[in-house]
Amino acid sequence: MPLLLARILVLAVLLRVADVVAARDASDVLAVNCHNLAPPAGELEMIAAAGLKTIRMDLNWADFEITRGVYSFDVTDKYVSALSSHGLRWIAIFGPRNPNYDNNTNVHTKEGIAAFARWAGAFAAQYKTQLQAGDIYCEMVCLSLISFPLFSIR
């Protein structure tokens, strides 16, 4: 039964996406997911040349808050500049793990959740003019085959 429900959910999502894409320019609703804040040479050029307009970038919280309450955006500043120079928008996917909180598991205590919210808020404030949207990464796993962000903060 859970597998059937997962298949129905995936089908419903795909059909809804197809409706949206059919009603709009596909480059407005499709994005490419990147996993590296220091992309290989030519990657952003290829994405822009393909007609895509939006990058989804996974962000590892631990890379930005090595010391509790102290944020560094140096690596992201360079990346955002590169995106802008190629006319690309971006969606940040906030990863909810940091070794400073909740034993490096997805945040679940009041302290961890509050710290995560502070980091995401500081990040959004840092890039408020460049950031198109932010997603909170949350895995939904069905037989270890399906994983995708569920919650969006726009």
Side-chain angles (χ1 to χ4, degrees), residues 59-135:
L59 301 173
N60 181 7
W61 176 17
D63 293 340
F64 297 89
E65 186 180 354
I66 296 168
T67 303
R68 281 181 175 237
V70 179
Y71 310 115
S72 173
F73 301 109
D74 295 341
V75 173
T76 319
D77 286 342
K78 185 176 178 181
Y79 186 73
V80 170
S81 177
L83 290 176
S84 295
S85 70
H86 290 91
L88 297 168
R89 303 175 301 218
W90 70 303
I91 299 170
I93 304 169
F94 298 105
R97 293 182 179 198
N98 187 310
N100 292 315
Y101 307 96
D102 297 341
N103 298 316
N104 203 30
T105 61
N106 287 347
V107 292
H108 56 277
T109 64
K110 286 182 182 179
E111 177 191 26
I113 292 167
F116 178 74
R118 284 190 301 272
W119 167 65
F123 193 94
Q126 176 78 11
Y127 300 108
K128 62 184 171 192
T129 60
Q130 298 99 343
L131 192 61
Q132 181 178 347
D135 289 343

Side-chain angles (χ1 to χ4, degrees), residues 31-55:
V32 62
N33 201 56
C34 296
H35 302 283
N36 189 348
L37 286 169
E43 181 177 81
L44 297 179
E45 291 83 358
M46 287 188 292
I47 291 168
L52 293 169
K53 297 177 185 175
T54 306
I55 299 285

